[in-house]
Amino acid sequence: MSSSTTDTGAKATGAKPKQFQAEVAKLLHLMVHSVYSEREVFLRELISNASDACDKLRYEALKNDKLMQAGGDLRITISLDKKAKTLTVADTGIGMSAKELADNLGTIARSGTQAFMEQMETAKKKGDKDVNLIGQFGVGFYSSFMIAEHVDVVSRKAGTKKVSVWSSDGSGTYTVSDYDGEDAPERGTSIRLKLRKDAKEFLEDQRLQYIVRTYSDHVSHPIYLGDEQVNSGSAIWARSKSDVTEEQHREFFGHVAGVIGDPAMTIHYRAEGRNEYSVLLYVPGEKPFDLFDPERKGKQKLYVRRVFITDEAEMLPSYLRFVRGVIDSEDMPLNISREMLQDNPTVHTIRKAVTKRVLNELKKCADKKPDVFANIWEAFGSVIKEGLYEDMERRDQLYDICRFRSTTSDGKETVDLAGYVSRMKENQAGIYYLTGDDAGKAEVSPQLEGYKARGIEVLLLTDPVDAFWVRTSLGYDGKSFKSVTQGGADLDEIPLEDKKDKKDQTDDAATASLVAALKTALGDAVQDVAKSNRLTSSAVCIVAGDQGFDRTLEKYLAQQQGKSSISAPVLEINPDHALIAKLAERAGKGEDMGEAARLLLDQAVILEGEVPADATGFADRLSKLMQQVYD
Ligand code: ADP
Ligand code: MG
């Protein structure tokens, strides 16, 4: 059977075909049948893996220098066999054992695989160039099947004797077996690609040279094509700012963020003084697929004097997790273990300083390039706002970059808090906001009527995170945040813009008897019934009581805790409304308000985007009422 012989004819023993994990198989199918125009990215992916493998070995060798004894320097070599039509990418990195070959390249579906394929489907429907997604989703290795009909991965783990080979043609199964070919690597991994007939371009030196320089120039290990080193190989972050071109930034951004395109913002500097370190960070222009990953961790890479240490040190707080790039320390010990990083004072200091710098740069961008910042905010605002309750220390700094929709902002435009405060009315009690899940819907909420009639601006907070930060907030610039859907509306001190609006249709005694009658009729269904100050045209609305949560927040919390109901609302009635005036008159005469009460509450509930507690009852009442009208 051919599966027991590798493509190059070397003897392989004990090879039993294994099935790819289901998601992986699907992905491979996609790769094998791909028609992407940018197939060349396969090389970027293989080089990136080779470079990671070299980084890993260098790190391990800090503790155990025997690992580097056999196999020479860390390097990546690309070689061609034009006759056999093979392209080989070899590295002298950490290597893989037989088990690791099977796990890494067949069994374990990478977390991004499913998400990747979903995005591919959407991209295809939209006719996008979907190949951009490959690197971002950690499905890099499999992209070799875009150009190869057969792939052999021969590997020897550093410090071990055994050489193993993984082989597949990408169609459902792979084998892993012992390898005894003469070309076995002394250390590391050799990936041999038998090129497809339509992929001969990758047998040309010039083409390969171009691809390496375009996508992988920054790789810090030397990349050889034949005997010649093709990458410049110096750490781009260690160069001075003026020595790095936009092209180089784009390439490096692609490498650290896994996307193709320009970063929205670049932060490149070198800190001197008590701690010395280089920083090269990018803010992407688009949301990555895993922005709301429950792990919510930053993935900035930490280096010590050009040696990669880890990308899990969380060099930035989680609300800045979309920022990608490198921080390279000059004065940390090289042999620092990943576990020790947590309590390392230098890491702590750097983290603090870099966070401050990133926030400063975001502020600068917001002030000087509002269009660029608008994009960043659109993509990451909802994440940055997590900082408003997670990072009390920097809350004021964060307020300065926050942007919101408001009742005075137009369409996609946003306002900032300083602007809001400058537009506040005399005697305005605070910064008013309305939470909800849709700005369009929020904007027509009846609760806003009284504010609009007085020309008072209200922030429309429509991200789930808003309901949380706004509750813990102590205010901005000495003004507290006030929900327009909670507690009484303190609007008496602010005059209406158009006085004619106020009709005073109902006398207070009649209103009081209606309030009492409604309260009796509704019982536990409401917390209270009150005369409204915030309505001008609608008859009724519901709000949350003075104590406790805003209704939006309560809904989120109930959802999280699997509860189906939230606290009873306060029903507010508008004494200036003709219907309420009529009802008040009748209540004053002692009439029963039972049916009317339920209908009023249910319509207020519907206006909130909620469902009446008893939908059948609501429909019955409404039908009865209509019958009377159409009788
Ligand atoms: P990713 O690089 O995002 O993890 P890949 O599909 O590119 O995803 O690679 C899968 C895994 O296979 C890697 O995480 C690594 O463990 C292993 N791997 C791939 N290439 C090499 C290599 N040249 N040397 C050592 N391990 C490798
Ligand atoms: Mg990879």
Side-chain angles (χ1 to χ4, degrees):
M1 224 170 100
S2 68
S3 60
S4 63
T5 309
T6 66
D7 189 64
T8 45
K11 284 269 160 16
T13 47
K16 207 165 125 209
K18 296 187 182 120
Q19 298 286 333
F20 282 110
Q21 193 270 348
E23 291 298 332
V24 176
K26 261 197 246 167
L27 178 68
L28 277 167
H29 185 84
L30 251 167
M31 293 295 172
V32 171
H33 296 94
S34 71
V35 284
Y36 309 126
S37 51
E38 291 174 63
R39 300 189 299 178
E40 67 208 34
V41 299
F42 85 91
L43 192 57
R44 176 192 74 186
E45 295 300 322
L46 295 184
I47 290 175
S48 148
N49 287 349
S51 169
D52 289 349
C54 291
D55 281 346
K56 281 183 200 158
L57 177 57
R58 186 159 58 179
Y59 179 76
E60 293 298 326
L62 294 173
K63 288 172 283 181
N64 177 6
D65 55 11
K66 285 199 189 98
L67 292 179
M68 291 278 279
Q69 269 168 8
D73 291 342
L74 294 170
R75 74 194 115 82
I76 299 162
T77 312
I78 301 169
S79 49
L80 295 170
D81 183 333
K82 290 188 186 171
K83 243 165 90 198
K85 302 200 172 40
T86 60
L87 167 81
T88 303
V89 179
D91 64 70
T92 54
I94 187 94
M96 285 178 276
S97 65
K99 175 160 191 320
E100 285 168 331
L101 280 168
D103 285 351
N104 295 339
L105 309 181
T107 316
I108 299 173
R110 319 209 67 75
S111 61
T113 307
Q114 179 67 37
F116 167 72
M117 289 197 293
E118 278 163 15
Q119 298 251 333
M120 285 282 252
E121 284 304 313
T122 348
K124 223 190 256 167
K125 278 184 205 133
K126 285 196 290 180
D128 286 356
K129 269 202 187 148
D130 30 18
V131 90
N132 291 8
L133 299 167
I134 286 176
Q136 182 181 356
F137 288 86
V139 287
F141 167 76
Y142 301 114
S143 61
S144 359
F145 288 98
M146 293 194 294
I147 50 92
E149 56 185 40
H150 189 103
V151 178
D152 290 325
V153 182
V154 182
S155 196
R156 185 201 305 252
K157 181 136 184 150
T160 68
K161 292 217 167 66
K162 201 167 136 193
V163 184
S164 310
V165 57
W166 176 104
S167 292
S168 180
D169 59 8
S171 63
T173 62
Y174 65 95
T175 59
V176 175
S177 41
D178 294 347
Y179 187 83
D180 58 5
E182 296 199 340
D183 53 354
E186 275 186 90
R187 184 186 74 221
T189 305
S190 257
I191 300 185
R192 201 180 296 134
L193 311 166
K194 174 82 201 293
L195 294 176
R196 275 161 43 165
K197 285 201 182 63
D198 62 2
K200 291 213 189 79
E201 61 185 285
F202 302 113
L203 285 172
E204 286 161 30
D205 293 85
Q206 293 246 306
R207 177 98 174 96
L208 293 172
Q209 225 175 58
Y210 169 81
I211 301 172
V212 174
R213 291 203 174 125
T214 307
Y215 296 102
S216 311
D217 192 54
H218 71 274
V219 169
S220 58
H221 307 283
I223 304 171
Y224 292 97
L225 182 59
D227 295 324
E228 190 196 347
Q229 182 176 342
V230 276
N231 62 328
S232 58
S234 79
I236 146 171
W237 61 89
R239 290 186 228 159
S240 81
K241 202 168 166 172
S242 54
D243 285 351
V244 185
T245 64
E246 244 174 74
E247 265 300 302
Q248 288 166 326
H249 274 306
R250 179 182 314 172
E251 181 218 325
F252 190 61
F253 168 64
H255 173 69
V256 290
V259 287
I260 293 173
D262 289 310
M265 203 172 113
T266 301
I267 304 171
H268 186 189
Y269 68 99
R270 187 180 166 80
E272 319 255 335
R274 206 151 57 87
N275 292 113
E276 283 187 24
Y277 52 90
S278 307
V279 175
L280 177 51
L281 295 171
Y282 301 103
V283 175
E286 283 169 46
K287 269 185 202 172
F289 77 98
D290 57 354
L291 190 60
F292 290 101
D293 190 313
E295 283 201 19
R296 302 194 315 122
K297 275 189 190 156
K299 282 274 175 204
Q300 303 80 31
K301 292 172 191 273
L302 177 67
Y303 281 69
V304 172
R305 292 186 288 289
R306 254 68 67 215
V307 176
F308 172 74
I309 305 293
T310 178
D311 59 5
E312 297 195 335
E314 293 179 65
M315 297 306 289
L316 289 173
S318 78
Y319 62 85
L320 293 176
R321 60 187 174 276
F322 54 89
V323 179
R324 296 294 162 100
V326 168
I327 296 168
D328 189 351
S329 160
E330 291 299 327
D331 29 43
M332 257 159 34
L334 251 182
N335 60 358
I336 186 157
S337 78
R338 288 177 189 135
E339 297 70 41
M340 279 160 58
L341 284 171
Q342 211 59 31
D343 318 307
N344 183 280
T346 312
V347 172
H348 193 76
T349 316
I350 296 179
R351 197 181 274 146
K352 225 172 138 168
V354 177
T355 303
K356 188 168 163 209
R357 178 68 177 251
V358 170
L359 292 180
N360 280 341
E361 296 287 335
L362 284 169
K363 170 91 172 77
K364 241 197 267 169
C365 178
D367 290 343
K368 297 204 176 119
K369 299 178 188 163
D371 291 351
V372 174
F373 189 74
N375 273 339
I376 296 176
W377 187 257
E378 170 86 16
F380 305 113
S382 55
V383 174
I384 296 174
K385 283 186 285 188
E386 290 171 10
L388 291 174
Y389 59 84
E390 284 179 352
D391 194 350
M392 303 303 161
E393 215 181 302
R394 301 192 187 83
R395 191 148 63 178
D396 289 335
Q397 232 187 322
L398 286 167
Y399 278 139
D400 284 339
I401 59 171
C402 281
R403 295 291 181 270
F404 304 99
R405 302 277 298 275
S406 92
T407 47
T408 58
S409 68
D410 232 353
K412 285 224 147 194
E413 304 242 310
T414 55
V415 299
D416 61 7
L417 290 173
Y420 180 100
V421 167
S422 73
R423 290 186 292 273
M424 277 172 71
K425 298 278 170 191
E426 212 183 319
N427 294 327
Q428 186 174 332
I431 299 172
Y432 290 112
Y433 69 87
L434 173 70
T435 53
D437 45 23
D438 180 286
K441 272 194 229 154
E443 215 164 354
V444 295
S445 299
Q447 290 96 336
L448 288 175
E449 290 168 3
Y451 299 84
K452 285 185 184 157
R454 290 171 175 81
I456 302 172
E457 183 172 2
V458 177
L459 300 178
L460 304 171
L461 306 182
T462 51
D463 282 321
V465 60
D466 290 325
F468 294 90
W469 70 258
V470 84
R471 189 177 150 68
T472 56
S473 166
L474 298 174
Y476 169 81
D477 194 17
K479 321 275 185 296
S480 56
F481 287 93
K482 287 187 172 295
S483 167
V484 303
T485 61
Q486 181 165 27
D490 35 15
L491 296 176
D492 286 341
E493 298 293 309
I494 305 171
L496 289 164
E497 293 204 318
D498 184 356
K499 292 243 163 52
K500 276 178 295 180
D501 266 8
K502 189 101 182 152
K503 288 173 213 102
D504 252 346
Q505 302 226 15
T506 322
D507 73 75
D508 284 349
T511 309
S513 42
L514 178 60
V515 165
L518 294 177
K519 243 191 254 189
T520 316
L522 292 170
D524 285 348
V526 291
Q527 228 175 82
D528 201 2
V529 178
K531 176 180 155 182
S532 184
N533 220 333
R534 77 189 91 218
L535 294 173
T536 58
S537 52
S538 299
V540 286
C541 71
I542 51 175
V543 297
D546 265 323
Q547 304 298 315
F549 300 124
D550 173 80
R551 287 181 73 75
T552 309
L553 177 58
E554 219 190 326
K555 276 181 233 170
Y556 286 130
L557 293 174
Q559 214 170 40
Q560 274 172 16
Q561 294 157 3
K563 281 199 251 167
S564 58
S565 63
I566 64 170
S567 319
V570 173
L571 177 69
E572 285 197 353
I573 58 169
N574 176 4
D576 300 331
H577 194 280
L579 170 64
I580 298 298
K582 286 255 160 61
L583 291 174
E585 214 181 289
R586 298 211 181 181
K589 291 180 194 146
E591 253 180 65
D592 175 60
M593 287 288 125
E595 294 294 284
R598 301 241 53 114
L599 273 169
L600 286 177
L601 176 61
D602 284 344
Q603 69 164 280
V605 164
I606 290 170
L607 280 168
E608 269 301 283
E610 297 172 22
V611 184
D614 171 15
T616 320
F618 171 69
D620 281 349
R621 276 179 212 108
L622 191 59
S623 301
K624 237 190 267 162
L625 198 65
M626 288 172 78
Q627 269 170 23
Q628 285 169 20
V629 174
Y630 292 109
D631 208 6

